[in-house]
Amino acid sequence: MPSYSIGQAAGLLGVSPETVRRWADAGRLPVRRVAEGARAVDGVVLAAFAKERAAGRHPVPETAAATSVRNAFAGIVTSVRLDDVAAQVEIQSGPHRVVSVVTRESVEELGIAVGVSVTARVKSTEVHIDVP
């Protein structure tokens, strides 16, 4: 079973190591002592903590249309690059950057522009996962 150092856990959670230490000291994130007294976080515990922490963090507005797509990222448009036919839209959803290529017509019809609040929905037949 994998375990992670405070620094590794911080990187995976997108926070500083000091924040992880505070959570551990407050009992919010269980840690154990390993060699030379360093603290480690069990991988299963860290996964559950990350999932719990992310729940509701970037909620999709309740007024959103019903959909079968479960991978939704509510965020703000940070960049729009228009071409004659296509457009590249960048969205920042919390710590996640989502980039999508859509038609220029869609961008214009939906009023997508920098600063507009949007929800990116991702549905794919393939997902690739790399392990470092």
Side-chain angles (χ1 to χ4, degrees):
M1 179 179 318
S3 64
Y4 299 91
S5 69
I6 295 292
Q8 290 170 321
L12 292 168
L13 293 170
V15 298
S16 71
E18 185 54 36
T19 297
V20 174
R21 284 187 198 93
R22 282 195 308 270
W23 287 337
D25 292 343
R28 289 184 58 201
L29 179 61
V31 297
R32 61 185 167 79
R33 295 286 178 178
V34 292
E36 291 115 32
R39 295 188 277 187
V41 183
D42 174 74
V44 173
V45 170
L46 183 60
F49 183 83
K51 190 172 180 179
E52 177 185 304
R53 186 171 172 270
R57 189 168 180 198
H58 304 288
V60 174
E62 290 187 28
T63 57
T67 179
S68 66
V69 180
R70 297 294 174 238
N71 301 313
F73 298 88
I76 189 166
V77 176
T78 57
S79 173
V80 177
R81 296 166 85 186
L82 294 172
D83 198 347
D84 290 339
V85 176
Q88 178 179 310
V89 179
E90 289 187 31
I91 301 160
Q92 193 66 41
S93 176
H96 307 289
R97 177 178 166 256
V98 179
V99 179
S100 180
V101 175
V102 297
T103 64
R104 179 185 185 118
E105 182 180 6
S106 293
V107 167
E108 292 169 351
E109 285 180 7
L110 295 171
I112 296 172
V114 173
V116 172
S117 175
V118 298
T119 299
R121 297 188 190 280
V122 180
K123 189 159 189 170
S124 175
T125 57
E126 292 183 45
V127 174
H128 297 263
I129 300 173
D130 296 332
V131 176

